[in-house]
Amino acid sequence: MTSTRTTTLVPAGTWEVDPAHSSVEFSVKHMGIANVRGRFTNFQGIVEVGQDAGSAKARGNIKVASIDTGEAQRDTHLRSADFFDVDAFPEITYESTRAEPLDENSSRVWGNLTMHGITREVKLDLVLQGTDIDPWGNERAGAEIEGFLNRKDFDMKFDQALGSGNLLVGDKVRMTIEISRIRKK
């Protein structure tokens, strides 16, 4: 068995997100008792890494119409004016503003997230997964990113109170992003 050495330090350069090997997912409480999970299937991003982790910059966008929760009727409702209002706001964008390295493999990253026509600063936790060369000679780097946001901060207020006191849709949204990116030559 051969072993390939990988490193968690990402070399300087411009890295393009590979959507075929990446995911942008979310989960939110339904009725206060279960999580509904979903994902966006159409997204892109660029990460520019400088000589130190704190200087890295990331930007990306998501086509909101690509939302997929595995339930067509719910997806149609999420695209409507009650939630994302895809006709008026077809994209979600993100641009990092600063990063704080926590250790060799992880950082806390702040950036501006624009969704539903509103821009808010969000904090994300990033863990590098390493780098390697794929079978086609491309240098790749992986990362796991997690963060939380309040959907009402983005003017998504649709809800319904239940007799139990729970809400039909929770306010806190967990974002989970798995990124494989390729270094541009």
Side-chain angles (χ1 to χ4, degrees):
M1 180 167 123
T2 48
S3 156
T4 303
R5 186 174 164 265
T6 63
T7 178
T8 55
L9 300 176
V10 178
T14 300
W15 298 78
E16 189 170 297
V17 171
D18 173 10
H21 296 97
S22 302
S23 63
V24 176
E25 301 178 348
F26 63 89
S27 65
V28 64
K29 284 285 186 194
H30 176 250
M31 298 180 57
I33 60 173
N35 284 313
V36 170
R37 300 182 193 291
R39 64 190 181 115
F40 294 96
T41 60
N42 188 346
F43 56 89
Q44 59 187 12
I46 295 284
V47 179
E48 295 171 358
V49 178
Q51 294 305 316
D52 63 272
S55 67
K57 296 289 183 192
R59 64 186 180 281
N61 66 55
I62 298 167
K63 302 293 185 194
V64 180
S66 73
I67 196 166
D68 178 10
T69 65
E71 169 56 45
Q73 185 175 359
R74 178 174 45 225
D75 295 344
T76 298
H77 190 203
L78 289 170
R79 291 181 191 105
S80 77
D82 281 345
F83 289 96
F84 287 102
D85 197 358
V86 171
D87 292 335
F89 309 107
E91 288 189 343
I92 296 170
T93 62
Y94 175 82
E95 187 163 350
S96 66
T97 55
R98 62 189 164 102
E100 174 190 330
L102 300 175
D103 58 37
E104 185 177 275
N105 299 328
S106 59
S107 297
R108 187 151 295 131
V109 180
W110 288 264
N112 292 321
L113 180 71
T114 301
M115 181 169 63
H116 202 245
I118 297 170
T119 301
R120 297 273 190 251
E121 183 178 63
V122 295
K123 176 185 74 170
L124 303 172
D125 293 320
L126 178 142
V127 178
L128 297 173
Q129 299 299 304
T131 62
D132 209 337
I133 305 297
D134 70 21
W136 302 274
N138 298 306
E139 190 172 8
R140 289 183 174 265
E144 292 180 355
I145 305 159
E146 183 177 85
F148 294 89
L149 60 86
N150 185 320
R151 67 186 181 90
K152 288 186 177 176
D153 288 345
F154 296 90
D155 203 28
M156 291 189 196
K157 298 178 182 169
F158 174 86
D159 221 331
Q160 182 177 348
L162 304 174
S164 64
N166 285 333
L167 296 174
L168 183 61
V169 181
D171 292 335
K172 187 176 183 180
V173 179
R174 178 182 182 182
M175 302 172 292
T176 307
I177 304 165
E178 300 275 344
I179 297 295
S180 176
R181 52 192 189 242
I182 300 171
R183 189 173 185 187
K184 293 175 82 173
K185 297 178 182 185

